[in-house]
Amino acid sequence: MMRKEIFPLTIKKRLLLIITVLIVIYCLTGFYVQKSGYYSPPYNKIDISLLLEKRAFSDEEYAILYAQTGIAKPIIDEIKYTNDFKSRMLEYQNYYFSNVSVKAKPMSPVTFYDVSEDENNKATKLFELAPYKNGYIFFHKSTHTFNWRHGHVGLVVDAKHGKVLESLEPGTTSILQDAEKWTYFPTFRMMRLKNTSIKQMDEIAAYATEYLSDIPYSIFSLKNKKNDYSTTHCSLLIWQAFYKFGIDLDSNKGIFVSPRDLASSDYLETLQVFGVNPGKKW
Amino acid sequence: MKKYSLTICFSLIGILVFIFNTSFLYKENMLQSKVLIDNTRTNPISDLTLIYCDITMQNIEAYDLKSNHISKEKTPLLSYTKGVIPSYKYNTYHNLVCSLQRSQNQKEPYYLHNYYEDDQIVVMSYLGTLSDTYIIDKNTKTPHSISFSSSIDLAKIYVSHIKIAKDTLILLGMKANEYESIVYTVSLNDYKVINCKSIPITEDAVKAQAHAITNQGNCIFAMDKQLMTYNPFTDQIGYTILPFSCTLIVPGDNQNIFLGSLAENSIRYILLDDSFNIIKTTELSLPAPNAHIVSLIYKNSSLYMATYHPNYILYPNYISVYALEDSNLIYCTAFLEKKHKALVYLY
């Protein structure tokens, strides 16, 4: 009698309660995932055309341009002497403040990717890529599995032809994809190694192309198999490419590396953002 | 109460799955068109095929434009870098290539970049070097690797064009990480490389529509205000000065070549003959402003152009047919929006 009073629920009812709680948690995380699919600047777009007439900027002006366009100082310095600098920066700004509505599409029964669709449910291009080189790393946060927004990451290996090496999903092998594809995702971050020569980044890209292509995908691939390229996944592929050259991009040094772990690395600097909080690394 | 709680629970699960997976339930709309201009006696687009696909390039639909109606092609299709191929063909040819590799204890190729087929042969070009391009004899169903001497340039390439001219296979590839093309000329008798030529080109010429192979086998590149030509049979490079920069090259099924430059409401174009002499320079009006060129085909002295207009008001896509002899738009049909998919190729 006492045991029945202390534990009033039968096993069936407990199971039902657990399932219900899990569903509620899943729904709540699902709503959060939906809401976190795109970061819209919470401030107004301002007129930067006069500022863009200058060719030398103070730190504060670089910060303004970054907040208004998503383009960071290294890229600004790279393009500020080109003839079309002003028009390009204004174009970046237009994209940065455009209206984006995010819709989740299924990749599999449990994994979804976000796109922005027009009124006819067609995926639309959302921004222009800033100039990029071999060895640059592309991130987005627009994929989620079981309501975990894990995102995706790729490595630029042929900038002249716009090719990014990626480990995509279960059932595939690592492969070259077109860089322009990334402009259809509502979130994006371009990063690169700080203080690294173009030559070394070319070497990293060449190594990745040679040794990290056509490797089967497995989400269970762990970092501890440092020289084992029998399987990989998107962030492990990037980690493997740089680790070969003595650079450990895993910010928390765990046995599993995620896109977030890479983006949080102190070795990397941000060059361009779209749809993500520019003040955060992830 | 016990009975109903489980029912309610599973109903809730069903509703939630529905909410988060509504994309499974959208209804595809059939392709609809409207003929806007028809100054011809016969329907000039009756043997064309439109390819639509979604952003993943996995959900592909093909529509054959018959004389009076549009019919959806039932054959499943698979995408590769430069186009689409019927799945059954891909499986057949890919398996032949893989069997060849296995017999030689070589690694199997993994990603089809380009493909060519005629009555006699199939060429399967995978990402990699020349070693990753294979020729299949359709009569004997025998796959062959291309053999070459150790002296040839074996860089990683993206084979952008494949042509048979004078019973010779010509592969025009772009070198990875370079603004440089490589032209391989391969004998179809013994599948050996006859000639290999590396040609530096400009950044603009690397773009897909800015280089091509003519029916005579000449490789041509639009480089600012000139056209660079390479004849793989004579190993000669030539230049033709153009009156304006062109970014579009379309060799015709006759001897002529169409070079175009897209503007907001028109295409300025140059017609060249087979000796690369300028026949004509004029312009064509577009069916609507702000066009993106999807595909161009030059055949029977007519230019077939598929366009996409991102800022459209009425129609996002048009197929326009121009008689190039007098630069007239002789036929134009508009296509209504296709839900979830975009027009990507015209064959």
Side-chain angles (χ1 to χ4, degrees):
Chain A
M1 186 66 81
M2 187 177 276
R3 182 171 286 195
K4 216 177 177 177
E5 283 170 4
I6 293 170
F7 305 106
L9 299 177
T10 63
I11 292 175
K12 207 192 279 189
K13 283 184 182 174
R14 274 183 229 171
L15 200 58
L16 194 60
L17 182 63
I18 292 168
I19 291 170
T20 306
V21 168
L22 285 174
I23 290 169
V24 169
I25 292 173
Y26 186 79
C27 294
L28 289 173
T29 52
F31 283 120
Y32 171 75
V33 159
Q34 297 271 352
K35 291 288 179 197
S36 62
Y38 174 74
Y39 172 89
S40 180
Y43 41 83
N44 290 331
K45 180 180 174 183
I46 63 173
D47 185 358
I48 57 172
S49 48
L50 278 179
L51 177 58
L52 292 172
E53 297 292 337
K54 301 172 68 172
R55 286 297 182 267
F57 303 106
S58 64
D59 288 347
E60 193 181 314
E61 286 164 339
Y62 278 116
I64 291 171
L65 290 174
Y66 183 48
Q68 287 290 313
T69 64
I71 303 297
K73 180 178 182 294
I75 297 290
I76 293 172
D77 285 343
E78 190 178 317
I79 65 174
K80 65 185 179 184
Y81 294 114
T82 58
N83 292 337
D84 59 350
F85 169 64
K86 182 175 176 179
S87 58
R88 282 170 93 172
M89 291 295 286
L90 291 174
E91 189 183 30
Y92 290 131
Q93 186 188 35
N94 284 338
Y95 278 120
Y96 199 67
F97 284 90
S98 58
N99 222 2
V100 173
S101 64
V102 176
K103 189 176 264 192
K105 301 284 224 181
M107 281 170 71
S108 74
V110 296
T111 301
F112 294 79
Y113 67 96
D114 293 335
V115 288
S116 181
E117 291 186 338
D118 61 17
E119 59 275 8
N120 289 294
N121 305 115
K122 199 188 305 287
T124 54
K125 177 173 167 148
L126 295 169
F127 62 94
E128 283 291 337
L129 289 168
Y132 53 89
K133 294 184 175 57
N134 288 349
Y136 285 18
I137 306 173
F138 287 3
F139 294 84
H140 72 59
K141 294 172 65 174
S142 299
T143 43
H144 42 97
T145 302
F146 291 121
N147 290 338
W148 169 42
R149 187 171 283 286
H150 45 82
H152 180 59
V153 59
L155 178 70
V156 178
V157 294
D158 186 350
K160 287 190 166 84
H161 296 275
K163 301 292 184 188
V164 179
L165 183 64
E166 301 176 42
S167 180
L168 287 170
E169 57 180 333
T172 66
T173 60
S174 50
I175 198 160
L176 295 184
Q177 297 277 284
D178 282 337
E180 279 301 303
K181 171 194 92 167
W182 291 76
T183 63
Y184 286 80
F185 291 105
T187 59
F188 178 75
R189 183 184 296 272
M190 184 193 298
M191 303 184 85
R192 71 177 181 192
L193 274 183
K194 295 175 187 172
N195 306 317
T196 306
S197 67
I198 292 175
K199 183 170 178 290
Q200 174 150 40
M201 290 203 283
D202 278 338
E203 285 172 6
I204 294 170
Y207 173 81
T209 308
E210 185 67 33
Y211 295 102
L212 298 175
S213 293
D214 195 26
I215 296 179
Y217 181 101
S218 171
I219 192 61
F220 302 110
S221 306
L222 298 176
K223 261 172 54 190
N224 55 358
K225 296 183 180 181
K226 287 168 188 167
N227 295 316
D228 175 4
Y229 297 156
S230 58
T231 59
T232 191
H233 56 75
C234 64
S235 36
L236 182 61
L237 184 147
I238 311 301
W239 182 86
Q240 286 169 328
F242 286 82
Y243 192 78
K244 179 69 182 172
F245 294 83
I247 302 159
D248 186 347
L249 288 184
D250 185 359
S251 56
N252 67 8
K253 308 284 188 277
I255 60 167
F256 179 83
V257 60
S258 67
R260 181 186 197 131
D261 294 337
L262 296 177
S264 305
S265 171
D266 289 332
Y267 288 107
L268 301 178
E269 60 181 352
T270 296
L271 303 170
Q272 181 185 15
V273 295
F274 180 86
V276 296
N277 188 332
K280 292 184 177 180
K281 280 203 163 180
W282 184 252
Chain B
M1 192 56 200
K2 280 186 204 178
K3 268 189 261 188
Y4 293 129
S5 58
L6 267 175
T7 309
I8 291 168
C9 185
F10 284 114
S11 301
L12 194 62
I13 295 171
I15 290 167
L16 291 166
V17 168
F18 174 82
I19 289 169
F20 288 118
N21 294 281
T22 49
S23 56
F24 285 124
L25 303 177
Y26 65 69
K27 194 178 169 187
E28 277 284 3
N29 61 330
M30 263 305 287
L31 188 62
Q32 295 176 63
S33 67
K34 184 179 172 65
V35 177
L36 303 178
I37 297 171
D38 187 357
N39 296 327
T40 67
R41 290 180 189 171
T42 58
N43 186 339
I45 65 169
S46 60
D47 61 348
L48 294 179
T49 301
L50 302 178
I51 306 292
Y52 281 80
C53 54
D54 67 2
I55 191 173
T56 65
M57 297 296 287
Q58 290 175 359
N59 299 307
I60 305 170
E61 290 176 7
Y63 293 88
D64 294 321
L65 303 179
K66 305 292 183 194
S67 43
N68 289 318
H69 63 278
I70 299 170
S71 68
K72 190 174 175 182
E73 178 64 51
K74 290 183 182 154
T75 307
L77 296 168
L78 192 136
S79 70
Y80 57 96
T81 308
K82 303 293 281 180
V84 297
I85 179 176
S87 300
Y88 75 91
K89 285 194 177 185
Y90 172 80
N91 293 335
T92 303
Y93 301 143
H94 183 65
N95 286 339
L96 283 172
V97 169
C98 290
S99 66
L100 173 67
Q101 291 299 90
R102 282 194 298 268
S103 70
Q104 296 173 350
N105 290 321
Q106 300 283 332
K107 197 178 170 201
E108 293 172 11
Y110 64 102
Y111 193 78
L112 186 63
H113 181 76
N114 208 343
Y115 153 82
Y116 168 91
E117 181 171 4
D118 62 24
D119 294 336
Q120 304 297 321
I121 65 165
V122 173
V123 180
M124 299 282 278
S125 183
Y126 297 85
L127 279 180
T129 68
L130 181 65
S131 304
D132 297 293
T133 293
Y134 306 86
I135 303 170
I136 299 170
D137 184 323
K138 285 176 78 171
N139 295 322
T140 60
K141 292 192 176 31
T142 312
H144 302 273
S145 300
I146 297 175
S147 54
F148 45 86
S149 70
S150 57
S151 63
I152 74 153
D153 190 348
L154 206 64
K156 277 198 165 42
I157 53 170
Y158 311 107
V159 173
S160 56
H161 293 276
I162 303 172
K163 198 82 165 181
I164 306 292
K166 301 178 184 173
D167 295 321
T168 307
L169 172 65
I170 298 163
L171 299 170
L172 171 54
M174 296 290 127
K175 231 179 183 176
N177 276 302
E178 301 289 348
Y179 293 132
E180 191 171 323
S181 70
I182 298 184
V183 181
Y184 295 107
T185 317
V186 181
S187 163
L188 287 177
N189 293 324
D190 54 12
Y191 310 112
K192 283 186 181 169
V193 172
I194 303 168
N195 190 28
C196 163
K197 182 79 170 182
S198 294
I199 307 169
I201 56 177
T202 61
E203 188 176 345
D204 286 337
V206 155
K207 291 173 186 156
Q209 291 172 319
H211 55 269
I213 308 177
T214 69
N215 282 342
Q216 296 74 37
N218 294 300
C219 299
I220 52 179
F221 306 85
M223 299 194 353
D224 200 14
K225 283 190 184 173
Q226 64 182 8
L227 183 77
M228 183 171 71
T229 64
Y230 171 65
N231 185 326
F233 301 106
T234 62
D235 197 31
Q236 294 293 313
I237 290 180
Y239 296 90
T240 298
I241 303 299
L242 303 174
F244 50 85
S245 295
C246 292
T247 55
L248 305 165
I249 292 182
V250 194
D253 61 347
N254 50 20
Q255 316 292 345
N256 295 344
I257 302 160
F258 173 95
L259 304 176
S261 174
L262 185 63
E264 188 176 335
N265 292 307
S266 64
I267 290 187
R268 295 175 75 190
Y269 77 93
I270 303 164
L271 266 189
L272 303 178
D273 64 18
D274 58 346
S275 299
F276 309 113
N277 299 313
I278 297 176
I279 302 171
K280 185 177 188 168
T281 303
T282 184
E283 69 177 30
L284 304 170
S285 298
L286 292 172
N290 299 313
H292 291 202
I293 305 292
V294 173
S295 282
L296 288 166
I297 299 172
Y298 181 8
K299 65 176 183 177
N300 302 327
S301 301
S302 296
L303 183 76
Y304 296 74
M305 181 167 64
T307 52
Y308 170 61
H309 304 256
N311 302 321
Y312 72 94
I313 297 171
L314 285 174
Y315 306 109
N317 296 110
Y318 296 83
I319 305 292
S320 307
V321 184
Y322 299 88
L324 291 181
E325 284 169 0
D326 47 16
S327 309
N328 277 339
L329 175 61
I330 58 172
Y331 187 92
C332 183
T333 183
F335 291 86
L336 293 175
E337 187 64 49
K338 183 92 179 66
K339 279 193 185 302
H340 307 285
K341 295 187 175 64
L343 176 62
V344 292
Y345 300 114
L346 174 69
Y347 290 127

